[in-house]
Amino acid sequence: MTALTVHQTARPTGFPAPAHFRFVESPVPEPSRGTALIENLYWSVDPYHREMMDGDFELNAPLEGRALGRIVASLEPSLPEGELVFHRKGWRTHSVVTPAETRRLPLHEGVPLSAYLSVLGGTGLTAYVGLTRIARLREGDDVFVSAAAGGVGTATGRFARLLGAGRVIGSAGSPSKVRHLIEQVGYDAAFDYRSGPVAGLLTKAAPDGIDVFVDNVGGEHLGAAIGALRERGRVVRIGTVGQYNTPDTPPVVFDHADVVEKSLRIEGFLVRDYADLQEELYEFAVPHLLSGALVPDETVVDGFERIVEAFLLMLRGGNTGKILVRAAGPGD
């Protein structure tokens, strides 16, 4: 058997291209004492990978990322063969892991395996932490979400509704995504940010203002939201995907006096600092998944050989919901 890994071969300027990656073949690795071999079934490609390409990823070495897989060989009693686990040694068909590098999946009956990388994974945890810990969402709060049709954006919209938000407003990059947000995800209003100045579009969608802004984009969206926030409004800074591939983008322009005069709070966070809330997320989301009140929004690409294609598709907004790569012959 042959294992495949993906290496980054060069640092991109602007948008990455297939030439920045290379698939490397090798024999399937064997576990050593205290480790186990995982055959991966699902892989996550995420916006933060683009940031890491600028220096955090080592060139000509296997890339890291979230993945789900089945243990197929083990020399570690706590990692029995056949167990399904989450780990971060993705972007490869086979991974050798230690117990500290894995998390056992609870496998709630009726919940698809892919959900543990989307609405129950890091994507869902980001949305949950943003609303419950950073925004401290209150019942009736009006919420605006940028990049609302992406993985975190769709999860945020669905969670906000389940947590008792008032109106939920989103921005997306095409009319079809706007329709999806309103007709499928449950947003009260949404707009295509490419159709005009964001400030004007937001004013039309939320004429009475907003209480919370969950920001995945930065730039013009952040400036517009600060102007629309009511007194004691909160900004949850999750990412700046709008600038990952355009480093020369002008800085955000907004009225800094608004932050003081409206007693606004702007706070960012890293989801890795909230791993202790994983079980709380399960307790919140799994019953809603089983009842049908919560639906995972996913774009699934089949075949590990398409993982680079899926990553580049995501960076250009070609997905709706969380984008995942599934091994040929799905494991769930």
Side-chain angles (χ1 to χ4, degrees):
M1 292 180 63
T2 300
L4 277 179
T5 63
V6 179
H7 293 196
Q8 181 183 340
T9 59
R11 305 289 181 205
T13 299
F15 276 94
H20 291 106
F21 302 90
R22 177 167 58 101
F23 285 86
V24 178
E25 291 188 0
S26 65
V28 173
E30 295 184 3
S32 57
R33 185 174 300 277
T35 70
L37 172 66
I38 295 176
E39 183 177 8
N40 291 315
L41 302 173
Y42 281 91
W43 299 266
S44 174
V45 293
D46 296 285
Y48 79 84
H49 288 140
R50 174 61 189 87
E51 281 190 293
M52 297 190 75
M53 290 184 71
D54 289 335
D56 293 304
F57 282 146
E58 183 180 346
L59 294 181
N60 300 305
L63 298 183
E64 302 299 324
R66 302 180 180 119
L68 305 179
R70 180 177 286 109
I71 298 173
V72 294
S74 179
L75 293 177
E76 167 52 50
S78 66
L79 296 174
E81 293 181 16
E83 188 97 328
L84 289 165
V85 296
F86 166 90
H87 64 94
R88 300 187 68 93
K89 289 189 171 182
W91 290 66
R92 62 193 87 184
T93 56
H94 299 77
S95 306
V96 174
V97 298
T98 66
E101 293 172 328
T102 66
R103 184 176 75 240
R104 179 181 177 273
L105 298 180
L107 297 180
H108 302 89
E109 187 175 355
V111 174
L113 182 58
S114 60
Y116 294 95
L117 269 187
S118 62
V119 74
L120 296 179
T123 297
L125 187 60
T126 298
Y128 184 75
V129 169
L131 289 171
T132 64
R133 297 309 198 272
I134 311 303
R136 301 169 202 167
L137 186 73
R138 299 184 293 258
E139 188 171 354
D141 277 345
D142 293 332
V143 180
F144 171 46
V145 184
S146 61
V152 173
T154 50
T156 299
R158 292 187 185 274
F159 286 178
R161 180 67 64 223
L162 293 168
L163 290 166
R167 297 186 76 240
V168 184
I169 302 104
S171 71
S174 72
S176 63
K177 289 185 177 183
V178 168
R179 288 193 299 272
H180 178 79
L181 290 176
I182 295 172
E183 297 172 5
Q184 303 298 324
V185 182
Y187 275 78
D188 294 287
F191 58 84
D192 176 0
Y193 69 85
R194 302 179 193 274
S195 65
V198 173
L201 295 167
L202 178 57
T203 297
K204 183 176 180 181
D208 297 324
I210 57 175
D211 299 294
V212 172
F213 175 43
V214 180
D215 187 20
N216 298 290
V217 174
E220 188 183 359
H221 280 79
L222 178 56
I226 287 175
L229 281 164
R230 301 175 183 135
E231 187 174 353
R232 300 195 181 282
R234 290 89 74 202
V235 175
V236 181
R237 290 283 291 120
I238 291 175
T240 314
V241 69
Q243 296 172 224
Y244 291 161
N245 299 298
T246 53
D248 296 329
T249 299
V252 179
V253 177
F254 62 89
D255 186 350
H256 289 72
D258 275 350
V259 178
V260 176
E261 292 171 1
K262 294 193 287 187
S263 299
L264 304 182
R265 179 163 55 83
I266 303 172
E267 184 175 351
F269 72 100
L270 296 173
V271 72
R272 68 188 182 202
D273 295 331
Y274 293 85
D276 60 319
L277 295 182
Q278 185 66 55
E279 290 299 324
E280 183 178 322
L281 172 63
Y282 290 155
E283 292 172 7
F284 166 74
V286 169
H288 292 303
L289 281 169
L290 296 178
S291 73
L294 176 62
V295 178
D297 296 273
E298 298 173 352
T299 296
V300 179
V301 175
D302 281 315
F304 178 75
E305 69 279 2
R306 298 180 65 195
I307 191 169
V308 171
E309 174 188 339
F311 175 60
L312 300 179
L313 179 73
M314 178 270 302
L315 289 182
R316 295 193 178 275
N319 60 298
T320 299
K322 172 64 182 169
I323 189 164
L324 301 170
V325 178
R326 178 172 55 191
D332 58 342

